[in-house]
Amino acid sequence: MHVDVQFLPFPPSPDLLTRRTVVVMDILRATSVMVHALSQGAAEIIPLANSEEALQRAKTFPTGTTLLGGERGSRKIEGFDLGNSPTEYVFERVSGKRLILTTTNGTKAFHSVSSGREILAGSFLNVEAIAQRCLELGQDLLLFPSGDEGRFSLEDAVCAGMLVEGILKKGRPVDLTDAARAAHILFKEFENHLVEALRLSNHGKDLIALGLGGDLAFCAQTDVTDIVPVFADGVIRAH
Ligand code: MLT
């Protein structure tokens, strides 16, 4: 198995993607929200790039079945039900509901890799389950940190490195690209204090400044669920 990490969130060639399992990661906070919401019983998640599209799509579903969530500038969007803090996505609120999410980077990233053979949502919350699923699928792997408006994101890269570690630990022969090896080295640097990587990151600092620092500790928890979210036909559902 060949394991690669794309450090910058530029859309890879569709031809390459059709031969890869792709793991999208937006640790702060889109994929952490998705994993947590599904673990709390959300029925499905529709990730969309813009808020107008999200509002229109919500109107196509029966009243009471669908919640609108996400952020712009890390704040809840006007007229939406939920923001983008994972702690808002509790069982009482989301169980059985369809979620329509739109965020600055994370929801767009799924559409950038939509021709992937299998597309999974990864986070620290479910990293071991994702490693296991990638090995079961047995395809070459592209880890796709969704970055920060085109820039490198420390927290996404560290999580990619933790996923590399999870795969290496299973003892199967894997071939790491330089980027995958670099992500693994970065993970080793923060292995015993993951939350520190989130605090040092640009987006982590922005969230702290907005009074949303509690989300960093939440998103830095590891292996609290074995949910594996799969994106197919525009919808993310738990595997
Ligand atoms: C994103 O998609 O860019 C993030 O989830 C932003 C955030 O939650 O603040």
Side-chain angles (χ1 to χ4, degrees):
M1 180 192 270
H2 177 85
V3 181
D4 194 12
V5 176
Q6 179 148 333
F7 275 128
L8 294 173
F10 300 131
S13 93
D15 185 43
L16 178 140
L17 286 173
T18 53
R19 290 174 277 116
R20 298 273 191 285
T21 296
V22 183
V23 182
V24 176
M25 295 171 181
D26 184 354
I27 302 312
L28 294 174
R29 299 164 287 174
T31 57
S32 301
V33 164
M34 291 169 185
V35 171
H36 182 60
L38 291 170
S39 80
Q40 297 297 299
E44 61 183 28
I45 300 170
I46 302 177
L48 294 176
N50 77 66
S51 52
E52 192 46 44
E53 191 187 0
L55 285 162
Q56 293 311 321
R57 183 71 81 85
K59 288 182 189 155
T60 67
F61 295 112
T63 315
T65 61
T66 304
L67 294 171
L68 278 161
E71 56 70 39
R72 284 298 176 272
S74 299
R75 294 290 193 194
K76 185 170 139 184
I77 301 165
E78 206 183 319
F80 276 39
D81 303 296
L82 297 159
N84 207 36
S85 283
T87 50
E88 295 176 69
Y89 291 73
V90 290
F91 177 84
E92 296 70 21
R93 200 78 209 274
V94 302
S95 176
K97 303 281 193 213
R98 172 186 302 105
L99 305 178
I100 298 181
L101 281 189
T102 179
T103 69
T104 309
N105 303 288
T107 55
K108 288 180 191 149
F110 286 88
H111 296 282
S112 303
V113 297
S114 60
S115 47
R117 188 180 173 119
E118 189 95 21
I119 303 157
L120 314 177
S123 69
F124 288 117
L125 307 175
N126 66 341
V127 69
E128 170 62 24
I130 291 282
Q132 183 59 40
R133 183 69 189 137
C134 289
L135 285 166
E136 284 162 11
L137 290 166
Q139 303 298 322
D140 287 345
L141 196 56
L142 178 67
L143 310 183
F144 192 77
S146 52
D148 185 11
E149 300 191 68
R151 290 173 303 230
F152 175 86
S153 268
L154 178 63
E155 68 281 15
D156 294 347
V158 171
C159 188
M162 187 169 183
L163 185 44
V164 170
E165 166 88 352
I167 289 166
L168 291 174
K169 269 192 181 158
K170 309 274 180 200
R172 306 251 191 100
V174 286
D175 165 27
L176 302 183
T177 62
D178 285 1
R181 201 170 294 286
H184 187 232
I185 292 166
L186 206 49
F187 161 67
K188 286 289 182 191
E189 178 70 21
F190 290 104
E191 181 169 14
N192 299 318
H193 43 99
L194 288 175
V195 75
E196 197 53 29
L198 277 63
R199 285 203 194 102
L200 287 172
S201 71
N202 287 333
H203 195 53
K205 286 180 192 153
D206 292 345
L207 291 171
I208 292 167
L210 287 169
L212 298 167
D215 287 352
L216 277 59
F218 190 96
C219 296
Q221 299 174 92
T222 57
D223 296 324
V224 293
T225 174
D226 58 7
I227 289 275
V228 175
V230 179
F231 177 64
D233 302 322
V235 181
I236 298 171
R237 295 194 179 90
H239 170 78

